[in-house]
Amino acid sequence: MQLWGFALEFRAYIIRRLALVVPVLFGVSLLVFALLQMFSPVERAALYVTDPKQFANITEIIEKYGLNDPLWVQYGNWISQIFHGNLGWSKVVSLPVTDAILNFLPATLELAIFATPLIILGGIFLGSKAAAHKDKAVDHITRAGAIMGWSLPTFWLGLMLLMIFYGFFSGLFPPERLSTAMNIVVHSEAFTQYTGLHFLDAILNGNWQVLGDSLRHLFLPVITLTVVQLAFIMRLMRSSMLESLGKGYILTARAKGLDENTVVSKHARRNALIPVLTIAGYIFALLVNGVVITETIFNYKGLGWWAWQSAIHLDIPSVLAFALFNGILFVLTNLVVDLLYAKIDPRVRLGGQAA
Amino acid sequence: MNELLKIRGLTVRFYTYEGVVQALEDVNLDINRKETFGLVGETGCGKTLTALSILRLVFAPGQIESGSIYFNVDNGNEPVDLLTISEDQIRAIRGSKISMVFQEPGAALNPVYTIGDQISEVILLHRRQEVAQKALRTVNKLLAGKKGFISLLAKPVWLMERGLYQRIAQNPRAEGPRIVSRILLVRGLLWRLKGESIKMTIDLLKEVEIPDPARVARQHPHQLSGGMKQRGVIAMALACSPKLLIADEPTTSLDVTIQAQILQLLNQLKSEFESSILYITHDLGVAAEICDRVGVMYSGSLCEIAPVDEIYANPLHPYTKALLAAVPKPGVEPHAIGGIVPDPLALPSGCRFHPRCPSATEICREHIPTMGELAPGHFVACHNCQGETGGSSR
């Protein structure tokens, strides 16, 4: 019976938290819409222009999309356009924006799928190891490594890695997403693109050559991302863990006669995870957003690369769509982080109705 | 042999950047069986550190320099020195033979686990055999029960469970079950251990007079009041019927009515579990209420030890006298002790109390006084009290 009550408490929290997403998303859309209003109707009409010839009847386009209407009508139109999947035309890649996102997202997701667990689990593991052996050799080495990793500029590290693993060991870990030959295979009739994630498609198709090639190309960008971000998580985990290890309940756990391993991994770590979780969610969102510098250095065409191209070519629809995508992604990541909080820390579940 | 615990020459130092802190200097005290020994003194005089030394939980940069703590586990057996036994041995004693109740029940409980989880953890650790026997009985009952479709399906699982529980019942540290307990899913076979230990936890919570113990066992610390939390912590400390219960100011953070209840509970449990209690407090009133003997501590060493009636009626050490005079009484202006607690980095020479002592003489500045028995059971470390047995109380 009581177990059921606990489940109810947790479910109430989830529902409350989910309900909050709606107004936040509304706020995000308002902000992006406000950005859009900085442009004149003529400029905004360019959103829907797919061919330079259409500029002749620009006033018609303005009329058609109601760009001179009152703001709230325009907002309604804009939102309904979005709900119909019409985000405008991306000049940079000559595709509708929606297609462009769907095109570039898998590449970035591929990076995020490999980098995130490495960063988060690795950071948590190393951080708690360092804290448990404070001021010992393990601690000094991981800390020195973390400071180095965190201080290395991404562009420098990426270029160095390319120089060594692409230049010196010629072609061991090349840039881009796939080699030319494998690219042809992937786009051939025989190869079904289920997800757009090359490594996953390769597994689903049972094509091990493509899998190997895709992993080979992923290696350097993933390493570059991991080295920098892992340092951050690790340092955070270490300080959070040290704080947790100084708490009274750790002394209680030791006074119970528990061994050091249980004290650290059961009693200290769970409490130390809470601040780390926030940053982990942030890092994940950042990675899915596309990591401009890394993608540019490795000529790895993902969302970051596309957003950067759009920005320098004044491709307004793409930039706005990217901003909207960004906002939604952060809102959703925060939602997941909050639910995980409640899973880890029972105090969070009580929320507004604290007893 | 009536002593349960004998501390001899315990010296603890903290090696900090500012210098060496002589936190405990030559502490000697005995705790007898089934007695409540009160350790009183001002904040920072080393009471808690003495307790932590007994459990060998002195934290860095602290270090136990010298001394020995003899603990008589079973009557008749040779007492062991807690400071020299191996890490595994001391872990087996912590929480089972000697356990500790801390000052802040809110801080002493882990916020992310339920009360039941935290108490059953001790039971699963130290009373594993007993738990396994109970689980074994349940499984045997199931195996002997009515034959039906369900029992036919479950029988292989029950047999596996029985094998594991038998092994644990024979040897709580048996390799097989330990390996099983580390493997995901397979460790589900040991689920009855947890269930049985939770049942024992609920009994314990009943023992410490927690209403609706089954519900409280499923609650997290933040859902309970301070008094309830402290009862939970006491239940945790009593889970293995310890020989010695160290209570470190267990009532300081609670309000007065709850304080009285907790004191009563401790007294009651002490006779029930036949434990000794080392009761640490700065409150002389509380000490008078609960203790059989009292030791007064000042700046890292004991200055007076006496039976509780004796120390209140006939305090000999100037510090004890000053401490008693400082207790607020209705209608009487309390006397604050002149001077300040010495800086632990720069302790005075000779008797550590001499700069604040009204009757200090030349010898106090030069020589550290030794403990002498002035009356039967009444020990004092003071140059000026030697031979003076009839000092008057103020």
Side-chain angles (χ1 to χ4, degrees):
Chain A
M1 276 308 285
Q2 206 52 45
L3 210 69
W4 183 236
F6 157 79
L8 273 181
E9 186 192 73
F10 199 18
R11 200 152 40 153
Y13 172 80
I14 294 174
I15 290 168
R16 249 195 338 267
R17 191 59 192 76
L18 279 175
L20 258 176
V21 169
V22 178
V24 174
L25 281 180
F26 176 68
V28 168
S29 74
L30 275 186
L31 273 177
V32 174
F33 181 71
L35 279 178
L36 192 59
Q37 294 312 306
M38 288 179 167
F39 300 102
S40 69
V42 180
E43 281 168 321
R44 272 182 287 138
L47 262 164
Y48 305 102
V49 172
T50 52
D51 191 327
K53 282 179 217 154
Q54 286 173 302
F55 279 113
N57 28 25
I58 194 84
T59 36
E60 266 171 48
I61 293 174
I62 292 176
E63 278 303 304
K64 186 184 165 199
Y65 291 102
L67 298 181
N68 277 329
D69 290 349
L71 278 184
W72 56 273
V73 177
Q74 281 192 49
Y75 177 75
N77 287 340
W78 180 70
I79 280 287
S80 80
Q81 288 287 339
I82 287 174
F83 277 120
H84 287 95
N86 185 4
L87 285 159
W89 180 261
S90 173
K91 283 186 297 191
V92 179
V93 288
S94 300
L95 278 173
V97 170
T98 335
D99 291 354
I101 291 180
L102 289 179
N103 223 356
F104 289 111
L105 185 60
T108 302
L109 265 185
E110 227 172 359
L111 275 187
I113 284 172
F114 283 100
T116 312
L118 272 180
I119 292 168
I120 294 173
L121 299 180
I124 288 174
F125 176 77
L126 288 177
S128 41
K129 266 275 172 294
H133 302 274
K134 185 174 178 264
D135 294 334
K136 304 256 171 64
V138 187
D139 187 26
H140 291 313
I141 293 167
T142 43
R143 270 161 82 196
I147 292 173
M148 269 163 58
W150 186 232
S151 328
L152 287 180
T154 318
F155 57 84
W156 184 84
L157 178 65
L159 285 176
M160 284 301 127
L161 286 174
L162 267 184
M163 204 174 88
I164 297 165
F165 291 105
Y166 186 52
F168 185 70
F169 298 103
S170 61
L172 183 58
F173 294 120
E176 296 189 39
R177 274 190 83 186
L178 285 174
S179 57
T180 325
M182 289 306 140
N183 212 8
I184 293 167
V185 173
V186 166
H187 290 101
S188 68
E189 285 288 315
F191 191 94
T192 327
Q193 293 210 39
Y194 298 98
T195 56
L197 303 166
H198 291 336
F199 81 95
L200 196 61
D201 287 343
I203 294 171
L204 293 175
N205 281 291
N207 193 329
W208 311 121
Q209 249 182 319
V210 173
L211 179 67
D213 192 60
S214 141
L215 293 180
R216 214 154 60 98
H217 283 80
L218 275 168
F219 190 78
L220 287 187
V222 166
I223 291 295
T224 309
L225 288 173
T226 306
V227 166
V228 177
Q229 308 285 355
L230 180 128
F232 191 27
I233 293 266
M234 193 232 116
R235 286 172 62 83
L236 191 71
M237 185 66 194
R238 179 180 177 271
S239 60
S240 174
M241 195 74 176
L242 280 181
E243 191 197 325
S244 175
L245 279 171
K247 287 278 170 64
Y249 50 79
I250 295 300
L251 196 59
T252 312
R254 292 209 173 108
K256 277 180 188 174
L258 294 173
D259 57 287
E260 199 53 29
N261 199 8
T262 315
V263 170
V264 171
S265 58
K266 184 174 173 191
H267 285 274
R269 193 177 288 155
R270 190 149 167 194
N271 283 285
L273 275 180
I274 293 162
V276 174
L277 202 58
T278 320
I279 301 301
Y282 175 75
I283 285 182
F284 174 74
L286 220 61
L287 289 179
V288 176
N289 244 318
V291 265
V292 178
I293 295 174
T294 311
E295 287 185 2
T296 309
I297 286 176
F298 292 101
N299 196 16
Y300 189 96
K301 286 176 184 160
L303 274 183
W305 179 86
W306 172 65
W308 169 63
Q309 288 292 321
S310 312
I312 60 172
H313 288 110
L314 280 181
D315 184 352
I316 296 160
S318 305
V319 172
L320 282 179
F322 185 67
L324 192 66
F325 173 76
N326 223 326
I328 294 170
L329 186 71
F330 268 87
V331 169
L332 293 182
T333 324
N334 268 331
L335 174 74
V336 173
V337 165
D338 279 358
L339 294 182
L340 285 176
Y341 268 166
K343 183 90 191 77
I344 291 182
D345 189 348
R347 284 168 296 184
V348 174
R349 286 173 217 152
L350 287 172
Q353 45 174 35
Chain B
M1 284 285 277
N2 198 29
E3 293 100 10
L4 176 70
L5 189 85
K6 273 201 291 193
I7 303 182
R8 288 291 173 267
L10 178 66
T11 301
V12 176
R13 302 227 162 100
F14 278 78
Y15 293 89
T16 65
Y17 289 117
E18 287 87 33
V20 181
V21 178
Q22 302 181 7
L24 289 182
E25 200 67 33
D26 192 24
V27 170
N28 297 294
L29 69 88
D30 295 347
I31 298 172
N32 297 327
R33 283 180 200 286
K34 296 179 204 171
E35 94 168 340
T36 304
F37 186 90
L39 201 54
V40 299
E42 288 165 278
T43 308
C45 71
K47 298 172 303 219
T48 303
L49 198 58
T50 309
L52 291 178
S53 305
I54 296 173
L55 285 171
R56 228 165 84 186
L57 282 174
V58 175
F59 40 85
Q63 215 173 313
I64 299 176
E65 291 289 296
S66 59
S68 31
I69 300 177
Y70 297 106
F71 180 61
N72 205 340
V73 189
D74 322 285
N75 243 338
N77 269 14
E78 207 43 26
V80 290
D81 183 356
L82 296 178
L83 298 184
T84 55
I85 57 178
S86 74
E87 190 62 32
D88 281 343
Q89 282 171 303
I90 187 85
R91 267 210 304 271
I93 287 176
R94 282 180 202 152
S96 72
K97 300 280 186 274
I98 305 177
S99 58
M100 190 157 172
V101 174
F102 295 92
Q103 182 171 353
E104 283 273 352
L109 290 169
N110 196 331
V112 300
Y113 294 108
T114 62
I115 302 290
D117 276 342
Q118 297 186 54
I119 299 177
S120 64
E121 198 177 23
V122 192
I123 298 176
L124 277 173
L125 186 68
H126 296 298
R127 292 166 74 184
R128 211 173 174 76
Q129 254 169 317
E130 210 178 312
V131 177
Q133 273 155 11
K134 285 191 179 186
L136 194 59
R137 239 169 283 153
T138 321
V139 175
N140 279 335
K141 224 176 277 170
L142 283 172
L143 280 168
K146 212 165 52 179
K147 301 281 179 286
F149 182 63
I150 292 171
S151 79
L152 200 70
L153 277 182
K155 203 173 171 193
V157 180
W158 289 341
L159 284 173
M160 276 194 277
E161 284 189 51
R162 188 173 70 175
L164 286 171
Y165 296 143
Q166 262 166 354
R167 224 156 285 170
I168 299 173
Q170 276 158 16
N171 172 17
R173 290 169 160 271
E175 256 331 290
R178 267 160 73 123
I179 292 168
V180 167
S181 75
R182 292 220 181 90
I183 306 170
L184 214 68
L185 295 176
V186 182
R187 66 171 164 222
L189 282 174
L190 294 165
W191 69 283
R192 273 179 226 279
L193 290 182
K194 178 87 185 172
E196 293 296 338
S197 65
I198 289 281
K199 270 185 220 159
M200 289 158 85
T201 301
I202 292 171
D203 289 340
L204 267 171
L205 290 174
K206 221 177 280 167
E207 201 84 53
V208 294
E209 293 165 6
I210 284 184
D212 200 354
R215 189 174 58 93
V216 170
R218 268 190 291 264
Q219 279 179 324
H220 287 90
H222 69 273
Q223 292 166 297
L224 300 174
S225 68
M228 280 299 137
K229 271 184 255 188
Q230 194 59 292
R231 279 165 199 268
V233 174
I234 291 173
M236 195 191 292
L238 292 174
C240 304
S241 325
K243 291 270 181 281
L244 176 65
L245 175 69
I246 302 171
D248 184 5
E249 310 213 18
T251 59
T252 307
S253 64
L254 306 174
D255 62 54
V256 186
T257 47
I258 308 290
Q259 188 172 331
Q261 288 172 13
I262 297 280
L263 288 180
Q264 203 186 355
L265 180 72
L266 278 176
N267 257 338
Q268 189 187 319
L269 292 171
K270 180 188 134 198
S271 48
E272 197 173 317
F273 287 84
E274 305 202 324
S275 314
S276 302
I277 298 181
L278 173 60
Y279 195 94
I280 296 172
T281 181
H282 61 254
D283 188 334
L284 289 163
V286 170
E289 207 169 308
I290 191 169
C291 299
D292 302 317
R293 290 195 308 139
V294 172
V296 180
M297 218 170 179
Y298 183 76
S299 188
S301 15
L302 281 151
C303 50
E304 186 163 4
I305 300 174
V308 68
D309 301 330
E310 175 83 3
I311 209 156
Y312 287 95
N314 186 18
L316 293 179
H317 197 281
Y319 177 64
T320 316
K321 289 179 190 170
L323 208 57
L324 284 168
V327 175
K329 297 177 201 75
V332 184
E333 190 76 11
H335 293 265
I337 304 176
I340 50 159
V341 180
D343 178 0
L345 284 164
L347 289 170
S349 61
C351 173
R352 286 181 176 188
F353 188 58
H354 87 257
R356 302 171 77 184
C357 182
S359 47
T361 57
E362 204 51 47
I363 188 168
C364 303
R365 268 181 274 282
E366 281 157 17
H367 296 286
I368 298 171
T370 49
M371 202 66 129
E373 187 168 11
L374 296 192
H378 195 152
F379 300 84
V380 185
C382 176
H383 294 299
N384 296 323
C385 306
Q386 310 295 349
E388 179 205 336
T389 43
S392 61
S393 65
R394 278 205 268 178

